Amino acid sequence: MEISGFKRKTRQREVILEELHRVKDHPTAGELHERVRARLPRISLGTVYRNLERLAGAGEVNKLEFAGTETRFDAVTKPHYHVRCTACGAVDDVKEIEEELIGGSFRELGGYLVQSYRLEFLGLCPNCRRTADS
Amino acid sequence: MEISGFKRKTRQREVILEELHRVKDHPTAGELHERVRARLPRISLGTVYRNLERLAGAGEVNKLEFAGTETRFDAVTKPHYHVRCTACGAVDDVKEIEEELIGGSFRELGGYLVQSYRLEFLGLCPNCRRTADS
DNA sequence: GTGTTTGCAAACGTTTTGCACAGGT
DNA sequence: ACCTGTGCAAAACGTTTGCAAACAC
């Protein structure tokens, strides 16, 4: 069974996945490219993009598309929500919400067959809150 | 009181706003440019972007930033939710949800001071549902 | 006349792609 | 040996910006 769609195992993909698992935050493709390049100096940004795209398709990484900003990637594939800081752009996981918030509540909306939804919180991160207290 | 921030009234902005009110869907800046160009052939895309940006800042238009796609604009400024078709990209208003879904429920998440949230539904529009029934 | 707003075109940042070559199988 | 996946560089994409000219006031 060819679930993943990958026909070859490559060092590049291996290291990309390793580094993504190693970081706690949600790096952009560019940031991840930087990290991976420390170990594989000749790897290209295109390769990072291509692998992340296919890994996301295979369900091995989570592709976080936020409105108005770069796409970020996450090694945690279990669905969860995010908060993004409107000041500095930091992205964190929301741990307080475990269960589905609205999932299942809406099967159909305005004739649309609802498949999923995107929920994203915006606010000030702890650091920026402190700075804002000036 | 200079609420809007506009110092001059221009034909370009007038027509942009008129055309945005005229369309039922949520056009991108490019689509709106096309429409406006039918009336003002020499208007530039940059002018459309600049005006939409400032009109959004003034609260006269709604800027809809969806993850993974172009920004769309809406003359309806009253907050409401949207459904986007995963097949054709159509964007419609969700009329069934009138009240705030989760607003006010979360003041703080993981140390973040929550200011707002973005909720977007994904699914198949009526047309694409029919097509999918093949 | 003053100074905001425009048209144009170039620049921008992110992502995608064409192609020849490297390297997994 | 095959042919997938890579490196490279260029292109594509939506959006922003610098500048001189146009025009609202």
Side-chain angles (χ1 to χ4, degrees):
Chain A
M1 251 312 165
E2 197 56 86
I3 319 169
S4 64
F6 296 115
K7 310 260 171 130
R8 302 263 190 290
K9 177 168 28 168
T10 68
R11 181 97 183 104
Q12 285 87 337
R13 181 158 54 248
E14 186 186 21
V15 175
I16 287 169
L17 208 42
E18 277 178 20
E19 289 301 320
L20 187 56
H21 273 282
R22 192 161 302 178
V23 287
K24 55 287 144 203
D25 59 351
H26 311 72
T28 63
E31 288 166 357
L32 192 53
H33 179 226
E34 278 303 308
R35 284 189 65 94
V36 171
R37 201 146 51 151
R39 294 173 59 188
L40 303 176
R42 305 191 53 80
I43 194 174
S44 73
L45 181 55
T47 295
V48 174
Y49 270 106
R50 274 185 289 230
N51 275 295
L52 286 172
E53 196 56 48
R54 298 180 60 190
L55 285 165
E60 296 190 50
V61 309
N62 206 349
K63 188 180 178 184
L64 310 177
E65 300 189 276
F66 292 110
T69 42
E70 293 169 69
T71 301
R72 290 174 175 276
F73 296 88
D74 192 339
V76 179
T77 54
K78 168 175 164 293
H80 56 283
Y81 301 101
H82 295 94
V83 221
R84 190 175 56 178
C85 182
T86 51
C88 73
V91 175
D92 274 353
D93 297 334
V94 172
K95 302 204 192 319
E96 288 88 340
I97 306 175
E98 292 299 336
E99 17 64 79
E100 291 285 300
L101 242 196
I102 55 174
S105 306
F106 300 100
R107 287 263 131 67
E108 189 170 314
L109 285 176
Y112 278 63
L113 179 69
V114 176
Q115 299 168 322
S116 64
Y117 62 91
R118 282 203 182 105
L119 175 59
E120 156 189 26
F121 294 94
L122 303 173
L124 287 177
C125 74
N127 278 341
C128 292
R129 284 177 82 166
R130 224 169 291 127
T131 311
D133 286 342
S134 54
Chain B
M1 253 312 165
E2 196 56 88
I3 318 169
S4 65
F6 296 116
K7 309 262 172 132
R8 302 266 190 286
K9 179 168 26 170
T10 67
R11 181 101 183 102
Q12 284 88 337
R13 181 159 55 249
E14 186 186 19
V15 175
I16 287 169
L17 209 41
E18 276 178 21
E19 289 302 319
L20 188 55
H21 274 281
R22 192 162 301 178
V23 286
K24 55 287 144 204
D25 58 351
H26 311 73
T28 63
E31 288 165 358
L32 191 54
H33 180 226
E34 277 304 309
R35 285 188 66 93
V36 171
R37 202 146 52 151
R39 294 173 59 188
L40 303 176
R42 303 192 55 78
I43 194 173
S44 73
L45 180 57
T47 296
V48 174
Y49 269 108
R50 273 185 290 229
N51 275 294
L52 286 172
E53 196 56 48
R54 299 180 60 190
L55 285 165
E60 295 189 50
V61 310
N62 207 348
K63 189 179 178 184
L64 310 176
E65 300 190 274
F66 293 110
T69 41
E70 292 169 71
T71 301
R72 291 173 174 275
F73 296 87
D74 192 339
V76 179
T77 54
K78 169 175 164 291
H80 56 282
Y81 300 100
H82 295 93
V83 222
R84 192 175 69 208
C85 182
T86 52
C88 72
V91 175
D92 274 352
D93 297 334
V94 172
K95 303 203 191 321
E96 287 89 341
I97 306 175
E98 293 298 337
E99 17 65 77
E100 291 286 301
L101 243 197
I102 54 174
S105 306
F106 300 101
R107 286 265 129 67
E108 190 170 314
L109 285 176
Y112 278 64
L113 178 69
V114 176
Q115 299 167 323
S116 65
Y117 62 92
R118 283 204 182 100
L119 175 59
E120 155 189 27
F121 294 94
L122 303 171
L124 287 177
C125 74
N127 277 341
C128 292
R129 284 178 81 166
R130 223 170 290 129
T131 312
D133 286 344
S134 56

